[in-house]
Amino acid sequence: MENITILIVDDNPVDVRLTIEALKQRNKHNEIIVLSDGEEAMNFLEKNGKYKNAPVPDVILLDLKMPKLNGQEVLVRIKNNPELSSIPVIVLSSSDSPSDISESYTNKANCYITKPFDIDEFFKTIQAIENLWFDRAKLPTSEKSQ
């Protein structure tokens, strides 16, 4: 398993801590970047201001309910930007609303996963994401590896 750069965009500190803890169980060398609102995430991804030298993430874990720009707005901007559109975006949300799920796929999310409330199930869910997206799926080659 090679090291990848994971961008977590989530404003819930407990969910972020659990996600990082689960990700670090398998590969302590992945680069994990955490941003807590959609506006900051877009500044990072578009390399604005202090983020001009930001790495291009290999995958994005995106929450929906966030301040400034919500997850759907971020998703639309990512998928409509030719320089970002190939980055897999996994919506990881506490919402299991059919309208949130449908809207996410309409906005070109690569995957929609509802966050479990049980900690053990949460860890299993993150491990399932790792198994599929980090071990099995072929991620697009980014500029940094060329």
Side-chain angles (χ1 to χ4, degrees), residues 8-107:
I8 300 171
V9 185
D10 194 329
D11 66 329
N12 183 321
V14 174
D15 288 349
V16 167
R17 184 179 53 77
L18 289 173
T19 303
I20 291 171
E21 199 174 308
L23 290 169
K24 292 286 186 184
Q25 279 186 346
R26 289 201 39 223
N27 187 339
K28 295 183 182 342
H29 303 291
N30 285 337
E31 181 178 6
I32 300 172
I33 300 156
V34 177
L35 301 172
S36 60
D37 71 63
E39 187 175 290
E40 187 179 17
M42 289 314 304
N43 283 328
F44 178 90
L45 290 165
E46 294 170 346
K47 299 180 182 289
N48 295 327
K50 68 181 182 179
Y51 297 116
K52 70 179 180 179
N53 296 317
V56 176
D58 294 299
V59 67
I60 299 169
L61 301 179
L62 179 65
D63 187 30
L64 292 182
K65 312 295 184 205
M66 292 183 302
K68 298 183 182 175
L69 289 177
N70 68 40
Q72 297 292 358
E73 293 167 314
V74 171
L75 183 58
V76 166
R77 285 183 54 184
I78 290 169
K79 293 304 181 177
N80 286 328
N81 181 328
E83 294 178 16
L84 304 173
S85 63
S86 66
I87 301 170
V89 178
I90 301 165
V91 174
L92 187 59
S93 176
S94 54
S95 170
D96 64 357
S97 158
S99 63
D100 283 340
I101 295 166
S102 178
E103 183 178 2
S104 295
Y105 282 116
T106 297
N107 291 332

Side-chain angles (χ1 to χ4, degrees), residues 89-144:
V89 178
I90 301 165
V91 174
L92 187 59
S93 176
S94 54
S95 170
D96 64 357
S97 158
S99 63
D100 283 340
I101 295 166
S102 178
E103 183 178 2
S104 295
Y105 282 116
T106 297
N107 291 332
K108 301 183 177 85
N110 296 86
C111 185
Y112 190 104
I113 297 173
T114 303
K115 294 177 187 174
F117 291 104
D118 177 80
I119 290 177
D120 290 336
E121 287 301 311
F122 191 94
F123 272 73
K124 286 178 187 173
T125 298
I126 298 300
Q127 289 168 352
I129 291 170
E130 288 179 304
N131 287 336
L132 176 60
W133 288 97
F134 307 166
D135 294 345
R136 305 268 184 230
K138 301 293 183 201
L139 297 174
T141 304
S142 65
E143 296 285 324
K144 67 183 178 186

